[in-house]
Amino acid sequence: MAGVGSWFGRGLLVIAVFAMVLVGVSAGAVPLQRRAAAAPAPEPVVLRVMPLGASSTVGAGSPETAGYRGPLQALLARDGVTVDMVGSQHGGPASVPDRDYQGYGGMTLEDLLPRVAGWVRGADPDVVLLHAGTNDLLKGASAQATARRLDAVLDEIAKVTDAHVIVAGVWAPLRGDPNDRAEFDRLGAEVVAGFRERGHSMRYADASELLEPDELADGLHPNAAGYRVIAAMWERQILAVTGRRATP
């Protein structure tokens, strides 16, 4: 019987200890093993995009969308890309979330050359969207001269940034010799390829057949539908240089 009593006593002791543990936990005692604290969610990576060019960058033909800038932001947001549009200018309707850009109506590559390094340095972009050359051709510069100006502008950009630079060719139909646009596209692509061979992240997008006649507002500038097409072109190029995928 002594053995039974000893076993019974030990059993009561175990029950008493277990009860004390339960009381301690219910009273707010710290458990023996804590759950690891959840790691804070990482901050989203913000892509700084600099729209750079002339009147189509401003949004001529579709001020209600700020040209391609409004639709482009919507597309990138759908893709999960957080964008900060950069540039020293600010314009567009309140419906466009970020209205910063660098564009001047009528500006040629020749006009851009002495200013572009300072603008790009100040904006500190990750991606530059350059659309220029149309006004050079419209004002009588040859395709060869316009391509040389493009080369000089890209050289100035490359001196101050290692950002991705995406160059879009002329998307507007031009008065005069239609071969000028085709020749500039050919030469412009060669200029950009030369920078790529020297290690710069640059791409050339041939936009010569991008727009249909009914996607132009005035025969020169795109309308809202045309700018949506252009925005989709920029989206594809941006995703390509940043290694991202579009959302279907």
Side-chain angles (χ1 to χ4, degrees), residues 81-100:
V81 180
T82 303
V83 174
D84 179 12
M85 306 296 272
V86 295
S88 67
Q89 292 171 278
H90 186 82
S95 58
V96 175
D98 190 335
R99 299 184 287 281
D100 295 336

Side-chain angles (χ1 to χ4, degrees), residues 143-245:
Q144 292 77 12
T146 303
R148 287 194 296 271
R149 294 174 183 179
L150 174 63
D151 183 85
V153 166
L154 292 178
D155 188 55
E156 288 297 302
I157 293 174
K159 289 176 182 177
V160 297
T161 184
D162 58 358
H164 305 290
V165 180
I166 303 168
V167 180
V170 177
W171 53 58
L174 300 177
R175 298 183 296 272
D177 189 346
N179 293 324
D180 284 344
R181 183 171 71 170
E183 182 65 3
F184 173 65
D185 272 322
R186 184 184 70 80
L187 295 172
E190 290 181 359
V191 166
V192 172
F195 280 91
R196 286 176 62 88
E197 290 171 2
R198 298 195 293 276
H200 299 285
S201 179
M202 296 191 183
R203 298 170 67 93
Y204 188 84
D206 183 346
S208 59
E209 298 183 3
L210 193 63
L211 300 178
E212 299 294 335
D214 63 356
E215 293 171 334
L216 295 168
D218 54 10
L220 180 63
H221 300 100
N223 57 24
Y227 278 121
R228 285 193 292 271
V229 173
I230 292 165
M233 179 269 295
W234 286 129
E235 176 205 22
R236 291 191 298 272
Q237 296 292 330
I238 291 171
L239 295 179
V241 299
T242 58
R244 299 170 184 258
R245 293 184 178 181

Side-chain angles (χ1 to χ4, degrees), residues 22-131:
L22 289 178
V23 170
V25 170
S26 64
V30 178
L32 295 178
Q33 184 174 2
R34 290 180 178 271
R35 180 180 297 177
E43 291 293 325
V45 176
V46 177
L47 190 69
R48 295 172 62 84
V49 176
M50 182 181 190
L52 176 62
S55 54
S56 289
T57 302
V58 177
S62 182
E64 67 273 17
T65 66
Y68 67 75
R69 292 182 283 123
L72 176 59
Q73 290 176 59
L75 289 172
L76 292 174
R78 181 196 64 180
D79 296 327
V81 180
T82 303
V83 174
D84 179 12
M85 306 296 272
V86 295
S88 67
Q89 292 171 278
H90 186 82
S95 58
V96 175
D98 190 335
R99 299 184 287 281
D100 295 336
Y101 70 101
Q102 198 77 52
Y104 299 86
M107 175 163 279
T108 64
L109 284 162
E110 188 174 41
D111 298 328
L112 189 58
L113 182 59
R115 302 171 174 86
V116 67
W119 287 340
V120 172
R121 187 187 295 110
D124 189 25
D126 300 308
V127 178
V128 177
L129 307 179
L130 174 61
H131 177 243

